[in-house]
Amino acid sequence: MSQPEKSVKQTPGKKRLVILISGTGSNLNAIIDGTADGRINAGIVAVISNRPDAAGLERATKAGIKTLGLDHKSFASREAFDEELQARIEEFRPDFVILAGFMRILTAPFVRHFQGRMLNIHPSLLPLYTGLNTHARALEAGDTRHGATVHFVTEDLDGGPAIAQALIPVLPGDTPEKLAGRLLIQEHILYPQVLHWLCDGKVTLEDSRVLLNGEALPECGVRINAV
Ligand code: GRF
């Protein structure tokens, strides 16, 4: 007898999301909650991790979502991993691919394949601090505010068109860990908000410009809170 299908049931009009993670999956949790309570008009059809022991996979399994661990270390090259990842994602026929703490640099063919339907969240006010250690770098620079950006993924690492940013103040005595913790709380508001817009067709990408309700956004996207 075949195994019952574990992925969420799709109702007409709901978008299909495949979410890629590498670790804790707290943003994934926020997205699961947003789809469960109807804020995001989508179902998560799969969660895939390049680290089979990622904690986020457990929460997804508990929520009845299909999960897949695809260990990048068992592939001979970055290209071979990305080819397999692409094929496995496509099996789920996603409308959108959502990177939520997916700690891999993606190859150009993979990015091109999903361009316009792949989003990432990055813990800085892009274009500031692409890459790693963003919280420490913001502190070292003496910034008075910090934030996170949700953006479309392009071949330019952390450089795709921004959809929205959430801001927090840098406080006296802040450490990278304290900043990261306070920022994550905002990320968990920001990403579901953007996915709500995206899945309702309110956010679109036209000629590298992001439109919200048909209006072109500034370079930083929408700022969902003021600091
Ligand atoms: C978040 O800070 C996100 O901005 C970055 O990686 C972290 C992932 O955290 N891309 P989590 O796995 O969602 O808890």
Side-chain angles (χ1 to χ4, degrees), residues 21-29 56 99-103 120-124 134-135 148-149 180 183-184 187-188 191:
I21 64 166
S22 296
T24 317
S26 70
N27 277 288
L28 165 67
N29 285 346
L99 310 185
F102 187 63
M103 304 304 285
N120 180 43
I121 187 162
H122 182 76
S124 80
T134 57
H135 315 298
T149 306
L183 185 57
L184 267 180
E187 292 184 34
H188 301 160
Y191 222 171

Side-chain angles (χ1 to χ4, degrees), residues 38-97:
R39 273 176 296 149
I40 304 171
N41 187 24
I44 303 171
V45 291
V47 174
I48 303 178
S49 174
N50 63 306
R51 295 187 184 277
D53 59 351
L57 290 178
E58 204 177 309
R59 166 79 209 273
T61 302
K62 280 191 184 137
I65 299 166
K66 203 172 181 77
T67 63
L68 173 66
L70 196 61
D71 190 350
H72 64 273
K73 292 195 288 296
S74 58
F75 288 81
S77 66
R78 190 172 290 279
E79 288 71 21
F81 174 75
D82 277 10
E83 277 170 27
E84 179 66 12
L85 180 61
Q86 179 178 317
R88 302 304 294 267
I89 292 171
E90 282 298 2
E91 284 171 12
F92 294 103
R93 297 178 289 105
D95 294 292
F96 300 109
V97 177

Side-chain angles (χ1 to χ4, degrees), residues 7 9 14 26 28 34 46 60 69 74 85 103 110 120 131 138 145 148 167 191 209 211:
S7 52
K9 293 236 168 12
K14 281 198 175 203
S26 70
L28 165 67
S74 58
L85 180 61
M103 304 304 285
F110 181 94
N120 180 43
R145 61 187 191 174
L167 284 76
Y191 222 171
R209 280 165 32 131
L211 308 185

Side-chain angles (χ1 to χ4, degrees), residues 116 152 161 201-212 214-216:
F152 282 103
K202 291 177 177 155
V203 163
T204 50
L205 183 64
E206 281 176 27
D207 301 328
S208 301
R209 280 165 32 131
V210 180
L211 308 185
L212 178 62
E215 299 279 331

Side-chain angles (χ1 to χ4, degrees), residues 1 24 27 31 36 42 81 86 95 97 101 105 118 134 139 143 155 171 179 187 190-191 193 196 209-210 227:
M1 214 169 81
T24 317
N27 277 288
I31 298 167
F81 174 75
Q86 179 178 317
D95 294 292
V97 177
I105 292 177
M118 182 157 63
T134 57
L139 284 175
D143 293 351
E155 290 176 54
L171 301 177
L179 257 191
E187 292 184 34
L190 177 68
Y191 222 171
Q193 173 65 65
H196 161 70
R209 280 165 32 131
V210 180
V227 168

